[in-house]
Amino acid sequence: AQTVTQSQPEMSVQEAETVTLSCTYDTSESDYYLFWYKQPPSRQMILVIRQEAYKQQNATENRFSVNFQKAAKSFSLKISDSQLGDAAMYFCAYRSATGASGSRLTFGEGTQLTVNP
Amino acid sequence: DGGITQSPKYLFRKEGQNVTLSCEQNLNHDAMYWYRQDPGQGLRLIYYSQIVNDFQKGDIAEGYSVSREKKESFPLTVTSAQKNPTAFYLCASSMLLSGRGRAGELFFGEGSRLTVL
């Protein structure tokens, strides 16, 4: 079974600074998807960014970018120019692209990000 | 607007009672999911369904039951057999994956908070 590990339960960053959240995963598959979701205090899960494993290029979405290292099974999220609204719990997630297991998403334990003004 | 609707938002249950959480989607997604979230923790999969009249157990299915009689609906029943049902419950849906290029992300409802008195 696939597992997702987020080793940083809490992180903090100054407004306008850059922060990187770590995520590692364990899988024997070669084709899969990786995601970062954000859960603000409202508890609504919001997709931040996605990465397809077959793409070598790292995904970017405005101030959010990832560092995808397939061989190392690492998928970190970089938030640039941090804003107060970025404060939330961030979850890394894995989804197989093949077979019956391809339907489910496996989440890490989450990293609580605090943004200091 | 297309989306996922969960109800009720807050629910209180006495010990020994069964309760049902509703989840409806109008995104025309084939797959639907139920996750449980405990304070400060990640999301754990309870059940998921890829097609009408079929569903699979997730990692923590004991004490829960589901049905999938319509594509749009995936209600979750928390039975009296669930020993510790107080939690936040999230419903989600997604397209089934078929080939590369499909985004693969899950779309989430706003959640239901269940408290056992």
Side-chain angles (χ1 to χ4, degrees):
Chain A
Q2 291 82 18
T3 58
V4 178
T5 302
Q6 293 178 248
S7 59
Q8 305 154 316
E10 298 176 351
M11 291 281 285
S12 64
V13 63
Q14 290 297 123
E15 199 175 2
E17 299 285 304
T18 296
V19 64
T20 299
L21 308 184
S22 301
C23 173
T24 59
Y25 56 94
D26 186 24
T27 185
S28 58
E29 299 176 324
S30 59
D31 209 2
Y32 49 87
Y33 299 86
L34 296 165
F35 306 90
W36 280 98
Y37 278 87
K38 168 185 176 180
Q39 188 180 42
S42 68
R43 308 200 76 171
Q44 174 77 55
M45 293 288 283
I46 301 164
L47 179 67
V48 175
I49 200 165
R50 73 172 73 85
Q51 175 81 43
E52 287 104 323
Y54 69 89
K55 291 184 177 178
Q56 293 190 344
Q57 187 173 5
N58 289 326
T60 61
E61 287 286 343
N62 300 315
R63 297 182 296 107
F64 299 88
S65 61
V66 298
N67 183 5
F68 173 49
Q69 301 287 329
K70 191 171 184 179
K73 297 179 184 173
S74 170
F75 182 60
S76 61
L77 174 70
K78 185 170 86 170
I79 306 174
S80 303
D81 186 26
S82 297
Q83 301 175 359
L84 295 176
D86 295 334
M89 180 75 91
Y90 285 82
F91 292 101
C92 178
Y94 171 102
R95 187 179 191 186
S96 171
T98 58
S101 63
S103 186
R104 55 183 292 171
L105 209 63
T106 300
F107 287 87
E109 294 289 318
T111 296
Q112 182 67 52
L113 179 66
T114 301
V115 181
N116 299 311
Chain B
D1 280 2
I4 300 174
T5 302
Q6 287 186 240
S7 63
K9 213 166 178 171
Y10 300 96
L11 185 61
F12 297 88
R13 187 193 95 173
K14 291 183 182 177
E15 297 247 7
Q17 282 183 336
N18 291 355
V19 293
T20 297
L21 307 180
S22 169
C23 179
E24 304 274 333
Q25 55 99 0
N26 60 4
L27 299 168
N28 199 32
H29 285 165
D30 289 298
M32 296 188 74
Y33 312 79
W34 276 104
Y35 284 90
R36 169 179 170 144
Q37 186 178 25
D38 292 286
Q41 296 188 26
L43 281 67
R44 293 183 291 168
L45 183 64
I46 304 172
Y47 269 99
Y48 65 104
S49 168
Q50 295 176 276
I51 195 170
V52 174
N53 292 324
D54 188 40
F55 45 83
Q56 289 76 42
K57 291 182 180 180
D59 301 318
I60 54 165
E62 186 175 349
Y64 299 97
S65 66
V66 292
S67 62
R68 187 85 187 276
E69 297 176 4
K70 298 186 300 183
K71 186 176 181 178
E72 303 79 18
S73 178
F74 192 42
L76 173 74
T77 297
V78 185
T79 75
S80 56
Q82 169 50 235
K83 302 240 184 307
N84 185 20
T86 295
F88 187 66
Y89 292 87
L90 282 159
C91 178
S93 71
S94 78
M95 294 185 292
L96 285 180
L97 301 174
S98 64
R100 287 179 170 177
R102 299 300 288 270
E105 72 264 31
L106 268 59
F107 295 79
F108 286 85
E110 293 185 342
S112 294
R113 175 81 185 157
L114 172 63
T115 302
V116 172
L117 303 173

